[in-house]
């Protein structure tokens, strides 16, 4: 079936006229992308040349560094495609010292154009209209093409609206999307995040966004078809050259300058530990601050609104691989995992099969919008200063009344923005029932093994049990404390936790883990619940780390503090 799908999707796109007309004046900016694509690529090349060629030493360094970085990468890749490119890079490095400045500049143009062409996405309005009509079927098709016929026969698609819920100021965001450019900055838990967000944006009548997706995700032909035609641009994380990073940032900046709503994952990669992201990587998101400054300097006063969001899963597709990567320390050195559950059709199918049996399997929580300088914005898109009075965001990038582009200044604003987004993440995290049950079980494991360090404790499989009635009682107590924290605006509580009895919450968590994960997380043995996989318990409970101490009783406080301490060290 894979070869058939590949052949079908590699053909030129031909869709029936019934899908509707070409882009209209009221359509989002992204509907006009294909008509602007060549202009955007040309501008990426021009700005890259302007930056590097202005200084002969900088130009020489950039070309030399790119050449050696690509030779190392392609040599390690070791396939026919790499061998073909290797020759060109080796010839460049060999000739570089003898080239004139004009020849080096011409090489820079050719390289940056190739990079920009590889990065640049595509948007087909007909594919978007098709997707909106077939959603939620398309969502399942993108995630699991092999299981599509069975899902169609089972009629499971109609359940997606109940499985994936959206919370937050949605009406306000729809208004802001008409006033300025939205920059979504969500947490990152799974390779399914961008698919799920795309579905939520469609369903909630929010505009589609452009976003960077790892080039490895384009290897599946069906996923590639939809991502390529619905605004995704390719980010090749294997390429470390400074030239490539500059081309990527310039492309992102240009898209926002032109009013394309955008999405970035400031965590950079999926959270290996499942902790709420705190140290954010705002390289690409920072291009939105630069884009705002550039537009102001040109006299274009288009607002940019940052919208933090949290994605809160009852089950995480790649949980087993992510937590093992985290505990091994590999997550610190390895940015791309090529062999996780997302790459295996059987695991995706098992995940989807279990997902359709759950209630509130995913809650997407949108936070309130802010301008690039951390000011909240009102319903009319006006920035509100700490004094409570409206403030002109353009004043932040002006010097003596004249707007300027200042990379050092904008980098400072970006750092402050990262801190503000991280604070919103914690406040807008939605606690899910599987996470709470995992926390109470893991806290009991720590309580029962106070003498052990983190890694010794993770090896205690099938040795510690918790009386089931005690588990239910402590889940009830912790739930009450979470509801109190929610009333104070410090966290959000998911609908299952809010509406179901503690007994039902425990039963549903044990069932969810049992029917999806290949490893037994915890199982009932008589009147006890036996802890079988501390790693997966750690993964799910890590979402509650900021509230661990206030969820504890006097008896379990020491265990909760130990969890917090080990979370800071792991």
């Amino acid at each position: 079936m894979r070869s058939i799908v590949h052949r079908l999707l590699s053909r030129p796109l031909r869709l029936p006229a019934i899908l509707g007309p070409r882009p209209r004046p009221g359509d989002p900016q992204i509907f006009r992308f294909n008509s602007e694509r060549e202009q955007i690529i040309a501008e990426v090349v021009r700005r890259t040349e302007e930056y590097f060629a202005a200084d002969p030493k900088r130009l020489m360094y950039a070309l030399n560094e790119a050449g050696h970085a690509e030779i190392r990468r392609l040599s390690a890749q070791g396939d026919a495609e790499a061998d073909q490119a290797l020759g060109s890079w080796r010839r460049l490095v060999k000739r570089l010292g003898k080239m004139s400045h004009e020849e080096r500049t011409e090489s820079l143009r050719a390289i940056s154009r190739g990079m920009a062409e590889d990065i640049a996405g595509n948007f087909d309005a007909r594919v978007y209209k098709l997707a909106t009509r077939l959603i939620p079927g398309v969502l399942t098709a993108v995630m699991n093409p092999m299981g599509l016929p069975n899902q169609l026969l089972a009629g499971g698609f109609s359940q997606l609206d109940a499985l994936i819920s959206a919370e937050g100021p949605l009406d306000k965001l729809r208004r802001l999307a008409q006033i300025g450019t939205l920059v979504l900055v969500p947490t990152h838990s799974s390779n399914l995040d961008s698919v799920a967000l795309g579905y939520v944006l469609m369903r909630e009548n929010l505009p589609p966004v452009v976003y960077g997706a790892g080039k490895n995700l384009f290897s599946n032909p069906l996923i590639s078809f939809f991502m390529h035609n619905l605004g995704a641009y390719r980010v090749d994380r294997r390429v470390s050259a400074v030239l490539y990073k500059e081309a990527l940032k310039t492309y992102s900046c240009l898209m926002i300058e032109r009013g394309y709503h955008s999405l970035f994952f400031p965590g950079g990669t999926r959270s290996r530990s499942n902790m709420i992201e705190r140290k954010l990587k705002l390289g690409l998101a920072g291009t939105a601050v630069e884009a705002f400054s550039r537009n102001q300097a040109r006299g274009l006063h288009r607002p940019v609104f940052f919208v933090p969001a949290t994605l809160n899963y009852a089950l995480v597709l790649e949980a087993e691989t992510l937590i093992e990567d985290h505990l091994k320390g590999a997550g610190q050195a390895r940015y791309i995992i090529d062999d996780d559950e997302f790459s295996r059709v059987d695991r995706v199918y098992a995940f989807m099969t279990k997902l359709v049996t759950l209630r509130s399997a995913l809650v997407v929580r949108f936070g309130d919008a802010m301008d690039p300088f951390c000011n909240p914005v009102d319903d009319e898109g006006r920035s509100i200063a700490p004094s409570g009075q409206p403030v002109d965001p353009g004043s932040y990038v002006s010097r003596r009344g004249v707007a300027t582009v200042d990379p050092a200044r904008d980098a400072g604003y970006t750092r402050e923005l990262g801190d503000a987004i991280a604070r919103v993440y914690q406040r807008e995290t939605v606690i899910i029932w599987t996470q709470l049950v995992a926390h109470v079980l893991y806290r009991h494991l720590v309580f029962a093994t106070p003498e052990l360090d983190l890694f010794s404790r993770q090896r205690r499989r099938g040795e510690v049990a918790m009386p089931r009635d005690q588990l239910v009682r402590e889940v009830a107590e912790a739930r009450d404390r979470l509801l109190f924290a929610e009333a104070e605006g410090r966290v959000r509580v998911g609908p299952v936790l809010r509406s179901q009895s503690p007994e039902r919450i425990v039963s549903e968590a044990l069932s969810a883990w049992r029917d999806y994960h290949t490893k037994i997380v915890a199982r009932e043995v008589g009147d006890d619940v036996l802890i079988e996989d501390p790693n997966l318990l750690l993964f799910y409970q890590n979402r509650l780390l900021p509230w661990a101490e206030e969820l504890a009783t006097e008896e379990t406080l020491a265990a909760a503090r130990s969890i917090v301490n080990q979370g800071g060290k792991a």
Side-chain angles (χ1 to χ4, degrees), residues 388-404:
Q389 298 299 311
V391 61
D392 176 13
S395 64
Y396 288 82
V397 297
S398 297
R399 186 178 301 159
R400 297 187 180 90
V402 178
T404 61

Side-chain angles (χ1 to χ4, degrees), residues 440 467-478 502 506 555:
V440 173
R468 197 182 196 284
D469 58 352
Q470 180 184 347
L471 173 60
V472 171
R473 184 176 66 254
E474 291 191 17
V475 164
E477 293 169 349
V506 169
E555 184 182 19

Side-chain angles (χ1 to χ4, degrees), residues 162-163 312-315 354-355 357-363 430-441 471 475 479 482 492-513 537 540-541 543-544:
L163 297 174
N312 309 276
Y313 290 89
L315 291 173
K354 182 57 190 173
L355 212 62
T357 70
L358 302 180
R359 286 173 291 179
S360 296
L362 168 61
V363 179
V430 180
I431 302 303
I432 305 297
W433 82 98
T434 50
Q435 299 164 354
L436 183 60
V437 175
H439 172 70
V440 173
L441 280 169
L471 173 60
V475 164
R479 195 249 316 254
L482 277 174
R492 305 285 175 175
V493 177
V496 172
L497 270 181
R498 184 187 307 282
S499 63
Q500 297 299 312
S501 69
E503 171 68 35
R504 187 68 179 269
I505 289 166
V506 169
S507 295
E508 293 201 2
L510 295 174
S511 172
W513 294 327
L537 281 184
Y540 284 106
Q541 80 90 36
R543 211 65 171 178
L544 281 81

Side-chain angles (χ1 to χ4, degrees), residues 271-414:
S271 175
R272 302 300 208 256
S273 65
N274 202 35
M275 294 179 194
I276 302 167
E277 292 102 322
R278 290 178 296 177
K279 297 179 181 179
L280 305 184
K281 303 170 185 176
L282 290 169
L284 282 180
T287 62
V289 180
E290 179 186 348
F292 177 81
S293 298
R294 285 182 177 274
N295 278 345
Q296 289 286 316
R298 289 201 300 267
L300 182 59
H301 304 293
R302 180 187 292 124
V304 172
F305 305 119
F306 280 83
V307 183
T310 61
L311 281 80
N312 309 276
Y313 290 89
L315 291 173
V316 175
L317 171 66
E318 307 100 313
E320 294 173 35
T321 298
L322 291 175
I323 191 61
E324 288 182 11
D325 207 51
H326 170 68
L327 290 171
K328 289 176 182 176
Q332 300 173 16
R334 184 170 59 149
Y335 199 70
I336 304 171
I337 303 175
D338 294 317
D339 54 353
D340 62 24
E341 291 85 342
F342 186 78
S343 66
R344 296 168 51 194
V345 170
D346 62 326
R347 299 302 299 134
V348 179
Y349 181 72
F351 180 76
M352 289 299 297
T353 301
K354 182 57 190 173
L355 212 62
V356 297
T357 70
L358 302 180
R359 286 173 291 179
S360 296
L362 168 61
V363 179
V364 179
R365 174 82 195 182
F366 294 95
D368 217 342
M370 63 180 81
D371 70 16
F373 315 104
C374 308
N375 298 307
V377 297
D378 64 15
D379 287 0
E380 306 305 318
R382 294 174 297 190
S383 296
I384 306 300
S387 64
Q389 298 299 311
V391 61
D392 176 13
S395 64
Y396 288 82
V397 297
S398 297
R399 186 178 301 159
R400 297 187 180 90
V402 178
T404 61
V405 178
D406 184 334
R409 176 203 64 204
D410 292 347
Y413 287 140
T414 301

Side-chain angles (χ1 to χ4, degrees), residues 416-490:
E416 292 177 10
L417 190 63
D419 293 339
I421 292 170
R423 289 193 295 271
V424 175
Y425 282 171
Q426 183 163 319
R427 187 173 67 245
E428 300 295 344
T429 287
V430 180
I431 302 303
I432 305 297
W433 82 98
T434 50
Q435 299 164 354
L436 183 60
V437 175
H439 172 70
V440 173
L441 280 169
Y442 192 80
R443 187 176 66 189
H444 182 75
L445 174 64
V446 175
F447 177 82
T449 57
E451 74 285 358
L452 298 182
D453 62 19
L454 169 65
F455 297 100
S456 298
R457 183 175 292 121
Q458 298 310 115
R459 292 194 289 269
R460 299 294 290 269
R461 300 171 182 271
E463 299 180 27
V464 176
M466 184 176 189
R468 197 182 196 284
D469 58 352
Q470 180 184 347
L471 173 60
V472 171
R473 184 176 66 254
E474 291 191 17
V475 164
E477 293 169 349
R479 195 249 316 254
D480 290 344
R481 288 176 168 84
L482 277 174
L483 291 171
F484 181 79
E486 182 182 49
E488 294 186 337
R490 294 185 287 112

Side-chain angles (χ1 to χ4, degrees), residues 547-564:
W547 304 277
E549 291 189 37
E550 66 181 287
L551 298 183
T553 62
E554 184 176 346
E555 184 182 19
T556 59
L557 184 57
R561 286 174 176 165
S562 179
I563 291 172
V564 173

Side-chain angles (χ1 to χ4, degrees), residues 45-63 100-109 112 243 246:
V45 175
R46 189 195 70 78
R47 288 193 190 179
T48 304
E49 177 184 347
E50 182 180 67
Y51 177 74
F52 287 105
D55 182 341
K57 290 183 179 179
R58 182 188 295 163
L59 175 61
M60 180 70 171
Y61 171 80
L63 291 173
S100 66
H101 182 73
E102 289 72 22
E103 289 173 324
R104 290 172 188 157
T105 301
E106 184 58 38
S107 293
L108 174 73
R109 286 193 206 104
S112 58
L243 259 178
E246 188 65 26

